[in-house]
């Protein structure tokens, strides 16, 4: 029986997922599900190490906050030094008390104080006291216009409560503040989260701003050569009816390595690359070309298999306009100015949510960079397995809603080739209870073995060398699916005249999807006839 041509076709299609065309503290308390009114704020502060749960992985959101706990939380939030042997003269706080260092720190910083030489560390913090300590901690001022029915202007904490209302930290309920109520852990998390929001509005994070500049510069590069290596693999589950040939083909995709080298030009868009694939002891060379409206991938000649004459040297053509017509989707708009505006807006949203928490500057020797690439500094992005759930929560609950709100702009939607109905459908999906349940339990069936990236930045603030590593497995219903991808890529000859060596294939060297399908369909029918004749 003849061997099927499925392998070279499948390999070419898999490349669409991996070709480098363009640049591109755990929470999860068991008593705080995604629908809990303060879940985002609690998880946010837990991720930052400001709030902590209990040994049984609960947060106890309705428990009250004590004054000692308040001192600890504010010390973490303000990064106060709790190790100093500060002198405080509270009769009820000994030096061996668990919160002594934090109480000393907030006392000496003028944030909290006791009375009659007592701090009352185990007493619950009232909402009025909370207002005072927050106003002290962040130097908040009011405008004197607050008029809660239960907070007269001669009330001892009026100025502090007025400061919180003026700065948007509190709104009260039914025009009341309930100053004498004890504050719960959930309520305190919400107040502190609003403080952080205010800070982020008023303060510029230098790391986030530089990352946005670097990635915007990437989008604006006129041209460059690129070169690198890649390794990727897909571990398919065993399915009912799998043949030996299926299993052999899928097994090939467990570990594929490649060397690649190419040239990119922004305007008019042109990218060409030669990828040398190494798979299951075989080496295959696959040239690829992309323009604004088409992509061409040369079908590989598989060692040990005879390539039909009608496929030899042929490039599989993917016409973006035709594919869009078949799918009913609009054609992406490759308007440069529009795409650069969209990229800038996207980077603003992305780095607002992920920049400070998942990126950090590291020493230049943290990653090995070939000597021919100039490096001014290195940034590292990393998500650990323990951080997987909060990372996905932030992605789905914070980043994606803002991203799709951005795409309500018709021009931006057109740039990505999506419709208003697509945007509406995704926004509905993001609110689907089943999706929320899936995300809350993702750690039960997804194992993140590695997810990190090192970005080596050129003195001109673009990425000169990039090292990426991702490895994850999904186990469900007794089946395991795995995916890994890592690559190293560097840029050279940036903004110089590009030197293209392949060019657009001639008509006689192009084969379209429909032609390829007909050839493969004919071959499969021939296989069936031949197999039946051999019985």
């Amino acid at each position: 029986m003849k061997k099927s041509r499925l392998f070279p076709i499948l390999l070419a299609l898999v490349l669409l997922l991996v070709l480098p065309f363009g640049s591109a503290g755990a929470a999860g308390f068991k008593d705080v599900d995604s629908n809990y009114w303060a879940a985002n704020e609690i998880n946010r502060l837990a991720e930052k190490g400001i709030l902590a749960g209990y040994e049984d992985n609960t947060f106890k959101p309705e428990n009250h906050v004590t004054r000692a706990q308040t001192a600890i939380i504010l010390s973490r939030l303000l990064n106060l030094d709790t190790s100093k042997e500060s002198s405080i003269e509270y009769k009820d706080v000994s030096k061996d008390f668990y919160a002594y260092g934090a109480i000393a720190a907030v006392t000496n910083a003028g944030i909290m104080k006791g009375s009659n030489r007592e701090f009352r560390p185990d007493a619950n913090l009232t909402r009025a006291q909370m207002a005072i300590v927050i106003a002290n901690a962040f130097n908040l001022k009011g405008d004197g216009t607050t008029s809660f029915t239960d907070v007269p202007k001669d009330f001892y904490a009026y100025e502090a409560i007025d400061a919180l209302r003026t700065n948007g930290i509190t709104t009260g309920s039914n025009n009341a503040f309930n100053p004498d109520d004890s504050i719960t852990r959930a309520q305190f998390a919400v107040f502190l989260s609003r403080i952080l929001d205010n800070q982020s509005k008023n303060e510029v994070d230098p790391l986030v701003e530089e990352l946005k500049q670097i990635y915007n510069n990437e989008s604006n590069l006129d041209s460059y050569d690129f070169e690198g290596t890649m390794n990727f693999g897909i571990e398919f589950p065993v399915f009912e009816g799998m043949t030996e040939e299926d299993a052999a083909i899928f097994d090939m995709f467990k570990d594929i390595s490649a060397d690649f080298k190419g040239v990119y030009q922004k305007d008019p868009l042109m990218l060409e690359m030669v990828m040398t694939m190494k798979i299951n002891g075989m080496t295959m060379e696959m040239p690829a070309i992309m323009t604004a409206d088409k992509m061409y991938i040369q079908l590989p000649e598989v060692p040990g298999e005879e390539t039909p004459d009608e496929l030899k040297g042929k490039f599989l053509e993917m016409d973006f306009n035709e594919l869009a017509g078949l799918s009913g989707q609009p054609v992406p708009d490759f308007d440069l100015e529009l795409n650069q505006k969209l990229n800038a807006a996207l980077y603003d949203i992305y780095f607002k949510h992920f920049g400070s928490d998942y990126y950090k500057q590291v020493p230049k020797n943290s990653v090995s960079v070939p000597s021919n690439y100039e490096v001014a500094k290195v940034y590292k992005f990393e998500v650990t397995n323990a951080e997987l759930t909060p990372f996905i929560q932030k992605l789905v609950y914070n980043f994606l809603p803002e991203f799709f709100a951005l795409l309500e702009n018709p021009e931006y939607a057109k740039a990505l080739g999506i419709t208003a109905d697509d945007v509406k459908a995704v926004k509905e999906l993001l609110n689907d209870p089943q999706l929320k349940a899936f995300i809350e339990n993702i750690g039960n069936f997804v194992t993140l073995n590695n997810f990190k990236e090192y970005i080596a930045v050129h003195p001109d603030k673009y990425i000169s060398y990039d090292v990426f590593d991702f490895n994850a497995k999904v186990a469900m219903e007794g089946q395991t699916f795995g995916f890994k991808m890592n690559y190293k890529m560097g840029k050279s000859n940036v903004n110089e005249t590009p030197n293209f060596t392949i060019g657009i294939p001639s008509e006689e060297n192009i084969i379209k999807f429909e032609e390829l399908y007909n050839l493969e369909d004919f071959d499969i029918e021939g296989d069936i006839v031949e197999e039946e004749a051999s019985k």
Side-chain angles (χ1 to χ4, degrees):
M1 184 180 75
K2 294 182 295 180
K3 289 188 177 180
S4 169
R5 298 175 193 154
L6 173 64
F7 174 72
I9 297 168
L10 186 57
L11 181 59
L13 294 179
V14 166
L15 279 181
L16 295 179
L17 301 175
V18 299
L19 291 178
F21 288 156
S23 301
F29 301 111
K30 63 186 183 183
D31 57 348
V32 181
D33 64 34
S34 61
N35 296 318
Y36 186 70
W37 69 276
N40 288 342
E41 291 85 354
I42 291 169
N43 289 328
R44 174 190 188 184
L45 294 171
E47 290 167 30
K48 292 179 175 293
I50 296 166
L51 295 181
Y54 295 86
E55 291 182 357
D56 61 354
N57 196 33
T58 62
F59 182 74
K60 305 188 190 322
E62 302 303 322
N63 280 13
H64 294 127
V65 180
T66 67
R67 289 171 54 82
Q69 292 168 344
T70 302
I72 293 172
I73 292 168
L74 290 177
S75 295
R76 291 172 181 159
L77 182 59
L78 298 169
N79 198 26
L80 300 180
D81 188 351
T82 61
S83 63
K84 290 182 179 179
E85 287 294 327
S86 303
S87 176
I88 52 174
E89 297 182 354
Y90 296 129
K91 296 184 294 184
D92 52 355
V93 181
S94 62
K95 284 198 172 184
D96 59 357
F97 185 64
Y98 78 98
Y100 177 88
I103 292 171
V106 296
T107 298
N108 291 320
I111 296 169
M112 296 181 74
K113 63 181 180 179
S115 60
N116 299 320
R117 294 185 59 207
E118 290 184 343
F119 186 77
R120 295 181 296 118
D122 298 322
N124 292 337
L125 187 76
T126 68
R127 289 170 59 86
Q129 292 168 345
M130 176 275 301
I132 292 172
V133 298
I134 286 182
N136 288 342
F138 299 97
N139 196 28
L140 301 180
K141 304 296 181 185
D143 59 11
T145 62
T146 296
S147 57
F148 291 128
T149 56
D150 52 357
V151 182
K153 288 202 172 186
D154 59 355
F155 184 65
Y156 79 98
Y158 175 84
E159 290 185 3
I161 294 169
D162 178 53
L164 263 60
R165 200 277 311 164
T166 301
N167 287 276
I169 309 303
T170 186
T171 57
S173 176
N174 298 320
N175 201 31
F177 185 73
N178 302 309
D180 297 322
D181 286 358
S182 295
I183 190 166
T184 67
R185 287 165 60 81
Q187 291 168 345
F188 201 35
V190 171
F191 284 124
L192 295 179
S193 188
R194 290 172 183 166
I195 286 286
L196 292 179
D197 289 338
N198 276 8
Q199 286 184 317
S200 64
K201 290 176 185 176
N202 299 324
E203 296 180 7
V204 175
D205 186 332
L207 181 147
V208 168
E209 291 305 305
E210 181 154 39
L211 286 169
K212 288 195 292 186
Q213 182 181 1
I214 290 165
Y215 278 86
N216 277 309
N217 289 347
E218 283 282 301
S219 300
N220 294 327
L221 294 178
D222 292 324
S223 64
Y224 54 81
D225 295 348
F226 60 90
E227 184 173 6
T229 62
M230 176 185 294
N231 176 264
F232 65 94
I234 304 173
E235 181 183 335
F236 294 96
V238 177
F239 58 85
E240 187 176 350
M242 179 182 285
T243 66
E244 289 186 7
E245 184 179 13
D246 293 333
I249 291 174
F250 289 154
D251 192 58
M252 288 182 178
F253 285 88
K254 284 185 178 179
D255 191 60
I256 301 175
S257 61
D259 298 326
F260 58 88
K261 188 173 185 178
V263 185
Y264 162 82
Q265 173 183 275
K266 181 176 69 175
D267 188 20
L269 178 62
M270 177 79 171
L271 182 147
E272 68 174 32
M273 176 179 67
V274 175
M275 178 174 281
T276 304
M277 309 281 294
K278 297 173 185 176
I279 174 171
N280 202 35
M282 301 179 294
T283 300
M284 295 165 286
E285 191 171 275
M286 296 182 65
I289 306 100
M290 187 176 79
T291 66
D293 53 10
K294 292 183 179 180
M295 181 183 291
Y296 308 88
I297 298 178
Q298 191 172 54
L299 294 172
E301 294 194 18
V302 181
E305 290 194 23
E306 183 178 351
T307 302
D309 291 339
E310 63 267 35
L311 293 182
K312 282 184 178 178
K314 292 296 179 71
F315 284 81
L316 177 63
E317 178 188 83
M318 284 152 280
D319 187 309
F320 300 142
N321 293 305
E322 290 181 3
L323 292 175
L326 290 172
S327 66
Q329 295 292 106
V331 181
D333 189 340
F334 283 95
D335 179 271
L336 283 176
E337 184 177 351
L338 178 61
N339 276 274
Q340 286 171 355
K341 284 173 59 180
L342 174 58
N343 285 338
L346 176 59
Y347 294 145
D348 279 345
I349 297 171
Y350 173 78
F351 286 112
K352 178 179 77 173
H353 292 296
F354 298 104
S356 298
D357 293 336
Y358 296 99
Y359 287 83
K360 64 180 179 180
Q361 186 175 346
V362 296
K364 289 197 288 185
N365 62 5
S366 297
V367 62
S368 177
V369 178
S371 59
N372 55 310
Y373 297 106
E374 195 172 353
V375 178
K377 58 181 65 174
V378 173
Y379 289 105
K380 179 184 178 182
F381 164 86
E382 183 174 21
V383 180
T384 66
N385 189 57
E387 294 167 329
L388 175 62
T389 298
F391 177 81
I392 297 297
Q393 287 173 333
K394 182 172 287 191
L395 176 71
V396 175
Y397 301 148
N398 300 109
F399 170 76
L400 288 180
E402 290 190 37
F403 172 63
F404 282 99
L406 184 70
L407 296 185
E408 290 176 355
N409 180 331
E411 285 191 330
Y412 288 159
K414 184 180 178 183
L416 294 181
I418 62 177
T419 67
D421 287 341
D422 294 330
V423 174
K424 181 180 177 182
V426 173
K427 291 177 75 173
E428 290 176 354
L429 175 63
L430 294 178
N431 292 315
D432 189 322
Q434 290 185 332
L435 175 63
K436 291 186 176 182
F438 172 83
I439 291 170
E440 296 309 310
N441 293 287
I442 195 168
N444 295 332
F445 49 86
V446 176
T447 301
L448 189 60
N449 298 315
N450 221 353
F451 188 13
K452 67 177 66 172
E453 181 179 23
Y454 289 94
I455 302 163
V457 181
H458 189 274
D460 291 336
K461 293 192 175 181
Y462 63 82
I463 300 172
S464 61
Y465 197 75
D466 192 10
V467 178
F468 177 83
D469 191 4
F470 179 86
N471 186 314
K473 289 198 174 184
V474 180
M476 296 183 70
E477 299 180 352
Q479 298 278 26
T480 299
F481 174 87
F483 179 76
K484 67 175 182 179
M485 184 174 74
N486 58 73
Y487 66 79
K488 300 176 182 179
M489 186 179 79
K491 297 187 187 75
S492 59
N493 300 323
V494 173
N495 292 337
E496 297 182 8
T497 302
N499 180 27
F500 295 106
T501 59
I502 304 174
I504 304 298
S506 59
E507 284 296 323
E508 60 268 23
N509 287 326
I510 290 174
I511 186 167
K512 298 189 177 182
F513 262 122
E514 184 178 356
E515 297 174 72
L516 186 64
Y517 174 80
N518 290 336
L519 285 171
E520 179 62 19
D521 190 48
F522 174 80
D523 184 54
I524 291 173
E525 290 176 2
D527 284 354
I528 294 172
V529 171
E530 186 176 324
E531 185 172 343
E532 288 296 322
S534 67
K535 289 183 179 179

